[in-house]
Amino acid sequence: MTPVELSRTVLRAVRRAVDAGELRVTVPARAVVGPPGAGGWGDYATNIALQLARPAGQPPLRVAEVIRPYLVDADGVGAVRITGPGFLNIRLRDSVAVRLVRRILAEGTRYGRGDALAGQVVRLRIPYDVRAEVLADALGRIVASQGGRAETGHGEPVTLRPVPAPEDPAPLGADAARWALLHPAPHDRPRITADHLVQRESNPLFRVRYAHARTRALGRNAADLGFSAEPGPVDDVDGSGALVGLLADHPRVLSAAATHRAPDRLARHLVSVADAVLPVLPAVLPRGAEKPSAAHRARLALAEAAGTVLAGGLFLLGIDAPEHL
């Protein structure tokens, strides 16, 4: 169900409440439906009860309580919860999060690939500089992920001229060196320091690779406990909504990185995904004598989807995504 279809569903619920004599209002032409705000729940939320409170002559919470049973009864709606001053929060039967996780697990590291540059040839003319070479190499894969083809060469006119590295990044090793050159925007001066090698939270590359390795470890641990991933509702886990939003945004980020010749956008996105998934991971496995349940399978599926996005993004940057770290 799309937001437009859900908006019509909300209006039908209002009309049913009016026809039943429970509300005395003119049914509006449009109901605003969007992602739940702070303190929200589910896949979507609508402020229709707040919109109708004054013409109905009733408090928003009362209007929401009147509309809620008609909305719960609608096709495609799984559950409805009232939050705040009267927001109706809606979880679809086949929720956005469930469909997204299922799609990511089905597509694997190809998730996010699109046709934004289908049939286009992107000609990159770069100076003889190590950072330019690394950016062009990453852009070749990112452009290909959007259906285009990059042709890299030297000479004039230069079309990609990032700020050069202040020193040779090779002593950092291949992965850390690439990250040091790709994570900053091309117009920013990269830092070539040992900070890229430390295994602690202050190092963004470590956080990304650690988050990926942890998702893979959870899959192995779950197999030892006799269960596997199965997409399902995860809105009972704090932070899951933010993570789902970042995973859903991955295709747009890849398209923007290709279109604007900006691998740094992908690198920063991977850091955001890692920072969002790490707080979710402690809830994946059963604790103590707790037995694996549908909730654990759904959380594992979400974690594996995040790990898939991290692995795919690191591959496009030319950086290894280790299973163990």
Side-chain angles (χ1 to χ4, degrees):
M1 186 183 297
T2 67
V4 172
E5 292 168 337
L6 184 55
S7 176
R8 297 192 190 111
T9 298
V10 171
L11 293 178
R12 283 195 293 270
V14 173
R15 185 173 298 282
R16 290 180 63 193
V18 170
D19 292 345
E22 295 189 62
L23 282 179
R24 295 181 180 273
V25 295
T26 299
V27 180
R30 179 172 176 264
V32 177
V33 171
W41 172 89
D43 299 309
Y44 294 101
T46 177
N47 65 348
I48 191 70
L50 284 76
Q51 179 183 340
L52 297 178
R54 178 169 292 182
Q58 298 186 49
L61 278 173
R62 174 57 187 158
V63 176
E65 289 166 355
V66 169
I67 297 173
R68 181 182 176 278
Y70 295 102
L71 194 51
V72 169
D73 193 46
D75 289 341
V77 174
V80 179
R81 183 180 295 178
I82 300 170
T83 62
F87 292 103
L88 286 159
N89 293 250
I90 304 161
R91 187 171 74 196
L92 304 179
R93 284 182 184 161
D94 188 8
S95 74
V96 173
V98 173
R99 291 200 306 272
L100 175 67
V101 170
R102 187 174 290 122
R103 175 187 171 189
I104 294 172
L105 296 182
E107 296 182 12
T109 55
R110 293 186 61 82
Y111 169 68
R113 294 174 180 259
D115 57 4
L117 299 179
Q120 295 186 34
V121 177
V122 177
R123 292 180 172 84
L124 302 173
R125 293 294 175 265
I126 61 175
Y128 289 94
D129 170 74
V130 63
R131 190 180 186 202
E133 297 279 1
V134 169
L135 261 68
D137 178 70
L139 279 172
R141 279 185 288 273
I142 294 171
V143 166
S145 79
Q146 300 306 302
R149 178 167 60 87
E151 290 185 352
T152 302
H154 300 281
E156 299 295 337
V158 172
T159 59
L160 181 66
R161 191 192 295 273
V163 174
E167 57 188 282
D168 182 10
L172 295 177
D175 289 334
R178 291 184 71 89
W179 182 267
L181 299 176
L182 293 171
H183 183 248
H187 59 265
D188 289 334
R189 186 180 179 87
R191 293 183 305 104
I192 309 301
T193 68
D195 291 345
H196 296 293
L197 298 174
V198 298
Q199 298 200 26
R200 60 173 69 108
E201 291 184 0
S202 60
N203 179 2
L205 174 59
F206 171 74
R207 296 205 304 275
V208 171
R209 300 176 85 191
Y210 175 71
H212 170 263
R214 286 273 287 121
T215 64
R216 298 309 182 227
L218 286 171
R220 295 190 295 270
N221 294 338
D224 291 341
L225 293 174
F227 75 99
S228 58
E230 178 60 39
V234 290
D235 47 9
D236 58 331
V237 179
D238 289 343
S240 61
L243 175 58
V244 168
L246 287 165
L247 298 182
D249 200 35
H250 186 62
R252 184 199 64 80
V253 171
L254 283 184
S255 176
T259 302
H260 298 284
R261 320 291 190 255
D264 59 291
R265 297 191 182 199
L266 173 57
R268 290 195 300 272
H269 176 66
L270 296 182
V271 175
S272 296
V273 171
D275 289 345
V277 72
L278 285 170
V280 172
L281 299 184
V284 170
L285 297 179
R287 298 179 180 179
E290 191 178 16
K291 294 185 180 297
S293 66
H296 294 110
R297 290 191 289 273
R299 296 167 194 166
L300 178 61
L302 176 61
E304 291 190 350
T308 298
V309 167
L310 293 173
L314 286 170
F315 167 77
L316 291 176
L317 296 177
I319 296 173
D320 182 47
E323 298 279 324
H324 304 267
L325 195 62

